[in-house]
Amino acid sequence: MTSSSSMTRLTMSAMHSIARRATIHNNKTRTTIQQHVNHHHQRRHLRATTTTVMSAYQSSKVGDYPSMDFRCFYEKDGKRISPWHDVPLKNADGSFNFICEIPKETKAKMEVATDEKLTPIKQDTKKGKLRDYPYNINWNYGMLPQTWEDPQHVHPTMNVKGDNDPVDVVEIGSTQLEMGSVTPVKPLGVYAMIDEGELDWKVICISTSDPKASDINDVADVEKHMPGELEKIRVWFRDYKTPDGKPQNMFGLDDKCMPSAYAKDVIEETHEFYNSLKSGKRANDEELSLE
């Protein structure tokens, strides 16, 4: 074999190698570009859903705040509605609707009044006095509409019953949401808090319009992009009653924040409990307002 022939083959081999690398690079570039385009379209779609949902509902506040008489009513199309019964649990894009009762960095213990007509938001009371948390809650806090933790249902592994309330939500986004707002969120995980012997699920969510929402889909993503946040939530809910001399709240499921799939199963199960209550299949022994 002549040296010129060898050089020609080497040159052709090198050219083929360069061509292959160029093709791989171009394919990767096209894939990356397509991922960015899909990501952009997804974010734009989620923002559109958020805008549509938030603009569909308004709130009207009655009475002085804070006071025993204060109520935050929900409205749609100029008519008062119930945030528990009349706001859908899910949206067409798969997001869930979050009813904000307590804006982040506030401490008044506001809650949907499940025993009052139209279930407005009011401040909780104890022994005739308005209730506050001992310190600010660091996340937006509220509930998922059309869910209910049945106090007659015993959890098969934790052996505790539901707390007779809608499912609680801890929304970890960067924006302080308004009391009385409705915000599309996606579930990331769930804690099984046990409060005075009752199961009190805490679903961890993030607003779909939050800047980090596209990067956070599960508990592992929360740890990656917001390290330590889940533990802060667990400790806050574990300890918030201790300044009043009460014991720490407990957590089931080995104190773990269960993943997104588990959280969605909890939401689906409590939605079924709600439907049984609302339809009359399950007796309304707790004298809850179903209108």
Side-chain angles (χ1 to χ4, degrees):
M1 183 183 295
T2 64
S3 59
S4 60
S5 176
S6 298
M7 288 297 292
T8 300
R9 291 184 180 182
L10 287 172
T11 301
M12 291 179 65
S13 176
M15 291 177 65
H16 284 310
S17 177
I18 291 169
R20 282 197 301 271
R21 287 199 298 269
T23 300
I24 292 170
H25 174 74
N26 289 337
N27 288 340
K28 287 183 176 179
T29 300
R30 283 195 292 269
T31 300
T32 301
I33 291 172
Q34 187 60 49
Q35 287 173 342
H36 281 299
V37 169
N38 292 341
H39 179 70
H40 173 72
H41 286 167
Q42 181 185 35
R43 290 192 64 180
R44 187 170 63 182
H45 180 65
L46 290 172
R47 284 198 298 269
T49 300
T50 300
T51 301
T52 300
V53 170
M54 294 183 74
S55 62
Y57 302 97
Q58 299 79 42
S59 63
S60 61
K61 298 173 176 63
V62 177
D64 294 331
Y65 177 79
S67 74
M68 296 281 193
D69 297 326
F70 175 82
R71 296 292 184 275
C72 177
F73 287 94
Y74 278 67
E75 297 179 356
K76 184 179 182 182
D77 300 327
K79 180 183 177 182
R80 281 187 177 176
I81 63 168
S82 162
W84 188 21
H85 305 308
D86 299 321
V87 177
L89 173 61
K90 293 183 71 174
N91 299 302
D93 65 351
S95 62
F96 293 78
N97 285 321
F98 164 56
I99 304 296
C100 183
E101 299 166 319
I102 306 173
K104 66 187 299 184
E105 303 306 335
T106 65
K107 64 178 184 177
K109 196 174 185 304
M110 312 303 295
E111 61 182 15
V112 166
T114 56
D115 59 349
E116 294 186 13
K117 185 177 180 179
L118 295 179
T119 63
I121 294 174
K122 69 173 185 179
Q123 190 164 355
D124 191 19
T125 60
K126 187 174 183 179
K127 297 180 179 179
K129 294 183 178 181
L130 296 173
R131 288 188 68 188
D132 287 336
Y133 289 120
Y135 33 70
N136 285 355
I137 186 167
N138 307 128
W139 310 272
N140 296 300
Y141 189 59
M143 50 82 89
L144 291 171
Q146 299 187 21
T147 61
W148 181 56
E149 298 192 48
D150 188 343
Q152 292 184 7
H153 175 76
V154 180
H155 191 275
T157 59
M158 291 182 281
N159 198 33
V160 286
K161 298 179 180 180
D163 70 349
N164 194 35
D165 282 326
V167 171
D168 293 331
V169 168
V170 182
E171 194 280 320
I172 63 174
S174 57
T175 301
Q176 183 189 59
L177 301 176
E178 184 181 355
M179 180 202 306
S181 59
V182 181
T183 303
V185 297
K186 57 180 176 180
L188 309 172
V190 63
Y191 277 116
M193 193 176 92
I194 300 173
D195 183 358
E196 298 182 3
E198 294 179 332
L199 182 56
D200 188 5
W201 295 110
K202 305 296 181 189
V203 177
I204 314 302
C205 293
I206 190 167
S207 167
T208 57
S209 64
D210 190 86
K212 293 184 178 180
S214 57
D215 297 319
I216 300 179
N217 298 291
D218 216 321
V219 290
D221 300 323
V222 179
E223 283 303 315
K224 178 181 178 180
H225 296 280
M226 304 175 71
E229 199 72 11
L230 294 174
E231 179 63 7
K232 289 177 187 176
I233 292 169
R234 190 186 70 83
V235 169
W236 195 98
F237 281 98
R238 182 194 69 188
D239 294 346
Y240 79 88
K241 290 185 177 182
T242 58
D244 294 329
K246 292 186 176 182
Q248 292 177 329
N249 286 319
M250 306 296 288
F251 289 85
L253 306 175
D254 298 323
D255 287 4
K256 293 179 181 177
C257 185
M258 304 303 286
S260 176
Y262 194 103
K264 290 176 182 177
D265 287 343
V266 168
I267 295 169
E268 182 60 34
E269 180 181 57
T270 54
H271 182 50
E272 291 175 3
F273 293 157
Y274 168 85
N275 285 335
S276 292
L277 176 70
K278 192 73 165 62
S279 67
K281 181 180 178 180
R282 199 294 205 179
N284 184 15
D285 301 325
E286 289 74 21
E287 298 183 354
L288 300 166
S289 174
L290 299 182
E291 53 182 311

